[in-house]
Amino acid sequence: MWPRVLERSLTWVTAFASETLVGFVNVAWDGGAHAFLLDTTVHPDWGRRGIGTELVRRAAQAAHEHGGLEWLHVDYEPHLIGFYEDCGFKPTSAGLLRLN
């Protein structure tokens, strides 16, 4: 699964403790002006240390440096509003259609 996901990514950012993966975020891209932050994940044992914030910051910086992008989108559950607002995202209205 991951090779298929990552080959369609603009970039991804990882966090390691020694050789252990403790955090990940993927930046997907539509090939135009929009990039999408996906799968922001930090292992629960490593939470509340700023790792997620740093992953998002580096992902946003990489998207910015790519050039030509106008927007970085992220969908999140209500309990993550504060986290993403602290990362600089503004809440927006959006729609979601379940396909299966």
Side-chain angles (χ1 to χ4, degrees):
M1 176 182 125
W2 283 109
R4 286 184 43 223
V5 170
L6 298 179
E7 73 186 18
R8 292 169 175 81
S9 298
L10 174 69
T11 192
W12 59 89
V13 181
T14 57
F16 284 85
S18 297
E19 295 183 21
T20 302
L21 179 66
V22 298
F24 173 85
V25 66
N26 182 23
V27 181
W29 179 41
D30 71 353
H34 300 268
F36 306 86
L37 199 64
L38 301 171
D39 302 322
T40 306
T41 306
V42 174
H43 189 283
D45 291 346
W46 291 88
R48 305 267 181 215
R49 300 181 193 195
I51 295 169
T53 301
E54 186 65 14
L55 289 169
V56 171
R57 187 194 69 75
R58 290 183 185 205
Q61 183 64 35
H64 174 75
E65 290 173 359
H66 183 268
L69 293 170
E70 295 180 37
W71 302 100
L72 181 59
H73 303 263
V74 66
D75 293 328
Y76 49 81
E77 295 179 2
H79 71 277
L80 294 171
I81 290 171
F83 171 78
Y84 283 106
E85 284 181 344
D86 289 348
C87 290
F89 286 86
K90 306 291 183 225
T92 63
S93 296
L96 180 65
L97 174 65
R98 185 173 189 86
L99 297 176
N100 59 18

